[in-house]
Every structure is written in C-alpha cells, then in structure tokens.
Amino acid sequence: MRWIWNEAEADAKNVSDDVVDIMTEKIQTLQLGAQDVLKTASCIGARFEKSIVVSLMSEAFSNETTDKHLNRLVKQGLIIKMIRRDADESYKFSHDRIQQAAYSLVPKSEKEALHLRIGRILENKISDGAPTSLIFNAVDQLNRGAESIADRAEQVELAVLNARAAEEAYKACAFTPSKKYA
C-alpha cells in the first residue's frame, strides 16, 4: 500500500498541531448545556464527583438535566464514569488535554468565583477524619478564589485551613507543598 496526497491541499486544510486547540473546537460543537457542565467540571480537576457538579450547576439546570449532560459527555468520550462502590458517582476526564481545553473556555472573570464555590463545597465535606487529599483539594480551590473573599472571618478561616494543610504536608514529608500552604 502506498500513500498519495496533495501537499498544497493538505496545507490548505488549516489543521492545528495543538491538541488543546483541536479539543477546544470539538467542545464548542457540543450543546451549550453540555459545554457548561464540562467547563464547570474542568475547574474541579481531573477527577470530579457528580454531586459537586450538580451543586454547582443547580442554578442553571435540574439534577436530571445535569445527569443527561454528563451521560452525553461520557458517550462523546470526553469523560469516563468511575466505578466506586463506597462513594458518590465520580468521573474523570479521558485525557488531561480535554480538561485543559475545557478549562481554557471558562471566562477568566468567572474562574475565581467558581473556584471559590468549589472550595466552599469541599470545605463543608471536611471532618475530623477527612482524608488529607480532601483538605488539600479544598484549600487549593479556596486559594484560587481567595481574592473574592471579602469577609474577614472567612479569610482567617482560610488561613487556618492553609496552616492545617501545611502541617499535613509536612507530616507526609512533602516539604515543597508544605511551604506552599504555609
């Protein structure tokens, strides 16, 4: 078998070499609701719980509508439903470039407030026996939205959470992250 192509025609197709650009274009062809769900999920991280997405989308969609969009995104191959017996339904992006492309579509003016909302949801899940990963995720999200925190008491609470995260990272001999939270 021998490949034959027209080089001038191939050059004229204007195909990007950047995977993120290609994925961004694909995401923009989705229904607007599915795009919104995917962009919101991208702010949570590579893996995300359905309940958090539902909570964040509750002003725009019913739980059932958000669920339909998540199922569509699974069928499109953009996210993968994780099988977990002990917890909330969760998903992950099928590739980090898909998450990056979706995140690039979130307007800069909305990112900070969205991270703050995510951080607050995660913070409410923290209990005495909470896994350190939950503490780190909550603090990371809250820190990304910290500029939007006007309430002094909430700023102090975030400082206390950062100190707790620094201590947990230090105990795990993760000195660079510990320094980041301190």
Side-chain angles (χ1 to χ4, degrees):
M1 180 175 180
R2 186 170 172 213
W3 290 87
I4 300 174
W5 66 88
N6 180 328
E7 194 168 327
E9 190 175 323
D11 289 339
K13 289 290 183 189
N14 193 24
V15 175
S16 174
D17 290 333
D18 189 357
V19 175
V20 174
D21 289 343
I22 294 167
M23 292 312 308
T24 301
E25 290 174 16
K26 178 175 179 166
I27 291 167
Q28 290 175 319
T29 65
L30 300 171
Q31 282 184 340
L32 290 177
Q35 285 183 46
D36 289 342
V37 169
L38 193 66
K39 291 187 298 187
T40 299
S42 75
C43 291
I44 298 168
R47 295 174 185 261
F48 55 94
E49 292 178 3
K50 176 183 169 181
S51 64
I52 296 173
V53 175
V54 166
S55 178
L56 293 167
M57 300 304 301
S58 65
E59 294 175 14
F61 306 121
S62 68
N63 294 358
E64 295 77 25
T65 302
T66 299
D67 200 40
K68 285 179 187 174
H69 289 308
L70 286 168
N71 288 332
R72 254 187 221 114
L73 294 168
V74 169
K75 286 179 187 167
Q76 291 282 324
L78 298 172
I79 61 174
I80 299 167
K81 189 172 185 176
M82 307 294 291
I83 307 296
R84 291 175 44 190
R85 294 181 201 130
D86 61 336
D88 182 21
E89 286 183 47
S90 62
Y91 298 83
K92 70 177 185 176
F93 282 87
S94 54
H95 195 281
D96 64 329
R97 297 297 190 190
I98 296 170
Q99 179 193 3
Q100 187 179 355
Y103 190 76
S104 75
L105 292 171
V106 179
K108 198 171 194 166
S109 61
E110 295 175 20
K111 284 181 181 175
E112 193 173 301
L114 194 50
H115 284 295
L116 184 57
R117 288 181 62 207
I118 295 164
R120 286 175 175 157
I121 291 168
L122 294 173
E123 181 183 16
N124 287 332
K125 293 182 170 209
I126 295 173
S127 62
D128 286 339
T132 54
S133 61
L134 178 59
I135 296 167
F136 296 144
N137 288 338
V139 172
D140 287 341
Q141 291 288 346
L142 290 167
N143 285 342
R144 292 176 98 177
E147 293 293 320
S148 297
I149 300 174
D151 180 53
R152 182 74 176 140
E154 190 174 4
Q155 291 170 346
V156 170
E157 190 176 322
L158 178 56
V160 169
L161 273 174
N162 270 283
R164 182 174 173 190
E167 184 180 336
E168 292 293 337
Y170 186 81
K171 282 193 243 177
C173 296
F175 302 117
T176 302
S178 178
K179 189 176 176 181
K180 177 181 91 171
Y181 296 119

